[in-house]
Amino acid sequence: MSARRQLSFDDLGTPLMDATLVVVDLETTGTDPSADAITEIGAVKVRAGEVLGEFRTFVDPERPIPAYIASLTGITDASVAGAPPITTVLPMFLDFVGDAALVAHNARFDISFLTAQAARCEIGWPRPAVLDTLALARTVFRRDEVRDHKLSTLAAHVGASITPDHRALSDARATVDVLHAIIERLGPTGTSTLEDLSSAHRRATPVQLRKKHLAASIPSVPGVYQFRDAQDAVLYVGTSRNLRSRVRTYFTASETRRKVLDMLPQAESIRIIECTTPTEAAIRELRIIGAEKPPSNRHGLTPEKALWLRLGSGGDGLRAARLARTEADGSVQIGPLSSRHDVDPLRGLLTDAVLGRGASFERAGGREPLPRAAHHDQLRRAMREDPRAVLDHVASRMRRHVDAGRYEDAEKLRRLALSFLTAARRGARLRAISDVPLLVAARPSSEPVIGGRGWEILAVRHGRFSGTALVPVQADPVAVARSLALTGTGEAELAAPMCQGYHQEAEILLNWLEGDGVRTVLTEGEWRQPARARFDADHLAERFARTQPGVGA
C-alpha cells in the first residue's frame, strides 16, 4: 500500500560540494584560554571552492598585549584601541558562522579560546562540527614530502595564493588553500562528505576492517538493523533512513563509541527489517530491544518495570505500583515516574496539598475533619483532572521559602512540582490513548514519496502501533486508512491499562499524533487528546510569578 520512497540524504552525510565551511584564525595575548584574551578574529566562509564572505575585526583584550606577542603579530595596544570587546564581537562572529562547520589549523587552540570566551560572556556555544587542517595534513602530507606541518610550510607546499603572516585574516585565507589541497588529495580515497572529512585523520581498527564485509550486501532502504553473533543472538539494534549508509559507518574511523567497538568482535551477521516510515522503524526497534535485551543497547530494556504512583479506591492511600490497573473502581495512577526515589516526596506533596487546603470544614462547634471520601476525591481530581490545588500549594510554599532566603528549598520544591506535573501529564496521555480501540490519523509526510509530496497514515490500537503507509498526494488517504483499519487487529489483544509494559511505544505514537498538520481519519471509541496546559510546567511558573512579583521559578 505504501509508495516506494526516494533516498534521503539525512543518513548519507553532507556532501562536501554542499557543505558550508568557515575557516577561522585567531590572534591572542597568549596561549592559555582561561587567562588570555583574543585580539583579532579573521574568517573566510566557503562552499564548493567559492568564497561566500569574510569576517575580520580587532578585539579589545582589555589588558596590555605582551611585547613578544606584538613583535610576532604586529598587533599592539594602539592597534586594538577603540576596538569592540569580545562581548560585542562574539555574537557577530557566530551570526557569520550560522550553521556552518568550523575549520582551523590546530583547531584545538582556536576553538578552546572561542568556547572559553563564550562561557565568560554567558553566550551559548552552538557546538558546530570542527575540522582541523593540522590533523588532516599529518595524514595527507607525509614527512618525506614536507619538513613539518606548520601553516607556513603547508601554504608554500600547496602554492597558496597568500603567505601566512600571523594575522588572522591572512592566515585564514592561507588555511582555505591548504584545506582545498587536502580535499583534493583525499578525493580518490572516497572522502566525499563532511563526515568523511572530519574522520579522515583517524584510522579504522583492525576489527572494523576485518568485519567490514558484513555491510557489503545491506540495501539502501529505511528500517531497522540488528547485529547478531554466531548463535544468532541480537547484540545491537538501531534504525536509519538509509540502512546501507548507516551500517557502513560502523566499520569506519568515525565510529568511536566504546559499546560498539566492544560489540563488533562478536558480530557475525547483520539482519535488517525494511520499514515504511521512521515511526515504524522506531517502534520495531523498541520491540526488538524489549524482547531480545541486546547487551549493547542501554535504553528501553525493561519497560515492564515502570513505576507508578497509585491512589487506590475506597480507603486505600497513595502508594507505588509496578502494574497499572483499570481505573473503573475509582482508583487513579500517574506516571511512569522518572525515579523510584520520587515516590515518597510525591506522596508527601500530594497529601500536604490536599490536607492543607481542605482537610476540615466549619461547623457550629468548631472545625471537624473532612470525610475520607472527600480526601480521596480531591486527590483523584488533582492527579487526573486539575492540578491547581497542588500548584497553588507549591507556589505558596515557594514564596515563603524565597521570602526567608531559603532559595535551595524553593528550588527543591520546584523540581518536585515538575516531577508531579511530568508524571500526571504522562498518565493523562497514556490513559487517553490506551482507551481508544482504533485510531487512524494522517499528516503531511516528511518522507519523499512518488510525486514529491503525500500523506503519512498511522493506525494505533489501544496505544500500540498497528500499521502505517505513505500515500502520494494524488491518492485518496481515506481509502488507505480504511485498509489499515482492517489490519493489525491482534494488537488489541495485547492492550493493557495505561499502556502498561509498552508505554515507550505509546509515547512515540503520541508525539506523532501531537505533530503539526495531523488529522484524525477514522476512530473506534472516543479519542480525546489531553490538554497540554493542564499539566504543563509553564503552569507552575505562571502561578509562582503571580504569587511573588519579580521572582521567577
Side-chain angles (χ1 to χ4, degrees), residues 7-37:
L7 290 183
S8 166
F9 284 103
D10 289 352
D11 292 289
L12 297 175
T14 305
L16 286 175
M17 290 297 291
D18 298 332
T20 302
L21 309 174
V22 170
V23 183
V24 62
D25 186 81
L26 308 178
E27 302 302 330
T28 65
T29 61
T31 59
D32 185 353
S34 63
D36 294 311

Side-chain angles (χ1 to χ4, degrees), residues 307-349:
L307 192 64
W308 311 76
L309 184 65
R310 177 185 297 140
L311 174 66
S313 60
D316 295 339
L318 290 163
R319 63 183 181 85
R322 283 290 182 192
L323 292 176
R325 296 177 181 173
T326 178
E327 297 173 332
D329 61 353
S331 62
V332 64
Q333 53 231 323
I334 61 174
L337 306 181
S338 299
S339 168
R340 61 183 177 85
H341 300 294
D342 289 341
V343 173
D344 287 340
L346 286 177
R347 184 162 48 198
L349 174 66

Side-chain angles (χ1 to χ4, degrees), residues 380-391:
R380 189 177 190 277
R381 178 175 175 79
M383 295 170 69
R384 179 169 175 146
E385 301 172 11
D386 188 349
R388 282 180 295 180
V390 179
L391 298 184

Side-chain angles (χ1 to χ4, degrees), residues 250-290:
Y250 283 80
F251 305 99
T252 68
S254 63
E255 179 54 76
T256 59
R257 290 172 294 173
R258 176 50 51 192
K259 65 179 181 181
V260 171
L261 297 179
D262 289 343
M263 174 273 296
L264 284 177
Q266 306 171 60
E268 294 296 333
S269 64
I270 301 174
R271 184 178 301 176
I272 69 162
I273 301 173
E274 184 175 354
C275 298
T276 304
T277 65
T279 300
E280 179 187 2
I283 297 298
R284 296 199 182 282
E285 177 193 33
L286 204 60
R287 290 184 178 184
I288 294 170
I289 291 173

Side-chain angles (χ1 to χ4, degrees), residues 176-400:
V176 169
D177 290 340
V178 171
L179 173 66
H180 287 159
I182 290 171
I183 292 174
E184 184 177 355
R185 283 284 190 96
L186 290 173
T189 68
T191 301
S192 60
T193 68
L194 183 63
E195 291 73 17
D196 291 337
L197 188 60
S198 68
S199 61
H201 62 285
R202 298 192 293 265
R203 295 183 179 182
T205 67
V207 171
Q208 288 175 304
L209 296 175
R210 190 169 67 250
K211 300 283 186 173
K212 189 175 182 179
H213 68 279
L214 297 178
S217 60
I218 302 296
S220 298
V221 295
V224 180
Y225 56 92
Q226 307 168 52
F227 284 83
R228 292 177 170 259
D229 64 15
Q231 287 73 45
D232 205 34
V234 180
L235 299 171
Y236 183 76
V237 182
T239 69
S240 176
R241 285 183 168 89
N242 188 303
L243 292 175
R244 178 176 177 80
S245 176
R246 181 67 186 100
V247 171
R248 289 176 67 183
T249 65
Y250 283 80
F251 305 99
T252 68
S254 63
E255 179 54 76
T256 59
R257 290 172 294 173
R258 176 50 51 192
K259 65 179 181 181
V260 171
L261 297 179
D262 289 343
M263 174 273 296
L264 284 177
Q266 306 171 60
E268 294 296 333
S269 64
I270 301 174
R271 184 178 301 176
I272 69 162
I273 301 173
E274 184 175 354
C275 298
T276 304
T277 65
T279 300
E280 179 187 2
I283 297 298
R284 296 199 182 282
E285 177 193 33
L286 204 60
R287 290 184 178 184
I288 294 170
I289 291 173
E292 302 288 346
K293 305 291 190 294
S296 295
N297 288 95
R298 303 193 182 279
H299 67 281
L301 297 182
T302 54
E304 68 279 3
K305 292 186 178 180
L307 192 64
W308 311 76
L309 184 65
R310 177 185 297 140
L311 174 66
S313 60
D316 295 339
L318 290 163
R319 63 183 181 85
R322 283 290 182 192
L323 292 176
R325 296 177 181 173
T326 178
E327 297 173 332
D329 61 353
S331 62
V332 64
Q333 53 231 323
I334 61 174
L337 306 181
S338 299
S339 168
R340 61 183 177 85
H341 300 294
D342 289 341
V343 173
D344 287 340
L346 286 177
R347 184 162 48 198
L349 174 66
L350 286 165
T351 302
D352 288 348
V354 171
L355 296 180
R357 284 178 53 85
S360 58
F361 61 96
E362 297 288 347
R363 279 196 177 172
R367 297 175 64 86
E368 295 185 10
L370 262 171
R372 183 181 294 273
H375 291 168
H376 181 277
D377 290 344
Q378 289 182 16
L379 282 171
R380 189 177 190 277
R381 178 175 175 79
M383 295 170 69
R384 179 169 175 146
E385 301 172 11
D386 188 349
R388 282 180 295 180
V390 179
L391 298 184
D392 287 344
H393 172 74
V394 168
S396 177
R397 286 183 58 189
M398 288 178 67
R399 181 190 61 198
R400 292 198 297 270

Side-chain angles (χ1 to χ4, degrees), residues 78-93:
S79 302
V80 298
I86 191 64
T87 52
T88 299
V89 170
L90 190 54
M92 295 169 58
F93 173 69

Side-chain angles (χ1 to χ4, degrees), residues 426-488:
R426 292 184 81 181
R429 297 168 82 225
L430 294 172
R431 182 181 299 112
I433 195 68
S434 67
D435 288 342
V436 182
L438 173 66
L439 171 64
V440 183
R443 74 177 185 185
S445 175
S446 60
E447 301 299 300
V449 298
I450 295 174
R453 294 169 49 245
W455 293 95
E456 180 179 346
I457 315 294
L458 180 69
V460 182
R461 294 182 184 275
H462 295 287
R464 294 182 62 86
F465 174 82
S466 182
T468 189
L470 288 176
V471 183
V473 68
Q474 64 272 20
D476 180 10
V478 176
V480 176
R482 287 172 177 162
S483 297
L484 282 178
L486 300 176
T487 65

